């Protein structure tokens, strides 16, 4: 599915309505089946996770740099940390949205698949299709579980980021830097765990994409 085809599909969605049923029916009419939509959305989610992983690395680096402050403009330090926090929040929201998009199309795909299986008159073909559906569902459940596991690790880190950024905003002094230092070890550990979980989820996404493309 090339970029021009996808662009046409998205324009169709905007013009003819946003409900899922209309959306998928519209895509089918221009030659894009639900399977392709699902693969594309998993690719999007995977790429977003890659971006999110890098964003949290960047936020951690800025947080670490702030703890080494030894004089200068503390307000500039606050601004940088706040920018990193806001960027991290944005990526967290994007990850959540990508997962929801996958869940939406999966429901439509699996429902359609089950309806079509019921229409087979050939027993062997029916059994083969049912086995493929069961295998795909198993891989899908593994994928979503992995994505949600990684996504669940984001909010606790954001909460700490938010608290420290706000404290720095209202206490532009040595006390605020001391607070940052006291949280650094915990944040480093949590971000490391998040990155590992993201990488695991990215691997699951790649495996699922390979399965669907075969």
């Amino acid at each position: 599915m090339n970029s021009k085809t996808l662009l046409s599909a998205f324009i169709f969605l905007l013009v003819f309505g946003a409900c899922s049923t209309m959306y998928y029916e519209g895509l089918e009419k221009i030659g894009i089946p639900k399977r392709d939509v699902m693969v594309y959305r998993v690719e999007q989610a995977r790429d977003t996770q890659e971006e999110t992983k890098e964003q949290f690395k960047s936020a951690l680096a800025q947080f670490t740099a702030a703890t080494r402050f030894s004089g200068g403009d503390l307000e500039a330090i606050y601004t940088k940390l706040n920018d990193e926090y806001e960027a991290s929040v944005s990526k967290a929201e994007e990850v959540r949205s990508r997962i929801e998009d996958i869940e939406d199309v999966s429901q439509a795909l699996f429902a359609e698949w089950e309806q079509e299986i019921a229409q087979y008159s050939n027993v062997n073909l029916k059994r083969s299709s049912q086995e493929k559906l069961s295998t795909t569902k198993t891989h899908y459940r593994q994928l979503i579980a992995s994505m949600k596991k990684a996504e669940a690790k984001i909010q606790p880190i954001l909460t700490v980021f938010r608290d420290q950024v706000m404290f720095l905003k209202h206490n532009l002094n040595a006390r605020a830097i001391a607070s940052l230092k006291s949280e650094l070890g915990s944040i480093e550990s949590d971000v490391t765990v998040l990155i590992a979980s993201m990488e695991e989820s990215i691997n699951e996404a790649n495996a699922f994409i390979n399965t669907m493309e075969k």
Side-chain angles (χ1 to χ4, degrees):
M1 193 163 36
N2 60 43
S3 58
K4 289 184 178 179
T5 303
L6 288 170
L7 178 59
S8 298
F10 294 147
I11 291 174
F12 182 94
L13 170 61
L14 293 174
V15 173
F16 293 100
C19 82
S20 293
T21 300
M22 289 181 64
Y23 175 49
Y24 300 128
E25 288 178 354
L27 291 180
E28 294 275 0
K29 290 178 180 178
I30 60 175
I32 303 176
K34 296 179 184 68
R35 172 185 288 266
D36 285 357
V37 176
M38 189 167 188
V39 170
Y40 177 68
R41 289 185 176 180
V42 172
E43 289 173 341
Q44 282 188 310
R46 175 200 62 195
D47 293 346
T48 296
Q49 286 184 317
E50 281 282 6
E51 293 164 3
T52 303
K53 185 178 72 173
E54 294 306 314
Q55 173 54 43
F56 274 83
K57 284 182 181 179
S58 175
L60 176 60
Q62 192 60 52
F63 195 103
T64 303
T67 64
R68 297 174 184 148
F69 177 81
S70 59
D73 187 358
L74 262 177
E75 190 165 352
I77 297 294
Y78 158 73
T79 299
K80 289 179 181 179
L81 279 179
N82 189 59
D83 287 347
E84 290 290 348
Y85 168 69
E86 294 293 344
S88 298
V89 169
S90 178
K91 279 300 169 188
E93 292 172 350
E94 190 175 346
V95 167
R96 188 176 304 112
S97 177
R98 296 299 191 199
I99 293 172
E100 290 173 353
D101 286 346
I102 294 171
E103 289 180 312
D104 185 72
V105 70
S106 71
Q107 291 176 5
L109 173 64
F110 293 146
E112 178 185 70
W113 201 335
E114 287 169 353
Q115 290 172 359
E116 290 174 346
I117 287 173
Q119 296 172 22
Y120 277 107
S121 58
N122 185 297
V123 176
N124 291 330
L125 293 178
K126 184 172 185 175
R127 183 186 303 114
S128 177
S129 187
Q130 184 63 61
E131 288 173 354
K132 289 179 181 178
L133 173 58
S134 297
T135 298
T136 302
K137 280 186 173 181
T138 297
H139 291 162
Y140 166 75
R141 285 192 290 269
Q142 292 172 347
L143 169 68
I144 288 297
S146 182
M147 286 189 168
K148 288 188 173 182
K149 178 183 175 183
E151 193 266 337
K153 298 183 187 304
I154 294 176
Q155 189 55 51
I157 298 173
L158 288 179
T159 298
V160 176
F161 276 167
R162 181 197 61 208
D163 287 350
Q164 293 300 317
V165 169
M166 285 195 303
F167 190 71
L168 179 59
K169 177 182 180 180
H170 297 120
N171 299 274
L172 294 173
N173 52 35
R175 182 184 175 197
I177 297 301
S179 178
L180 293 176
K181 288 180 179 179
S182 70
E183 291 288 348
L184 181 59
S186 177
I187 290 176
E188 284 179 334
S189 177
D190 289 347
V191 171
T192 298
V193 171
L194 170 62
I195 289 171
S197 189
M198 284 282 181
E199 289 174 346
E200 180 181 332
S201 181
I202 289 165
N203 290 336
E204 284 286 352
N206 286 329
F208 183 81
I209 291 166
N210 288 336
T211 298
M212 292 293 283
E213 289 179 341
K214 288 179 181 179

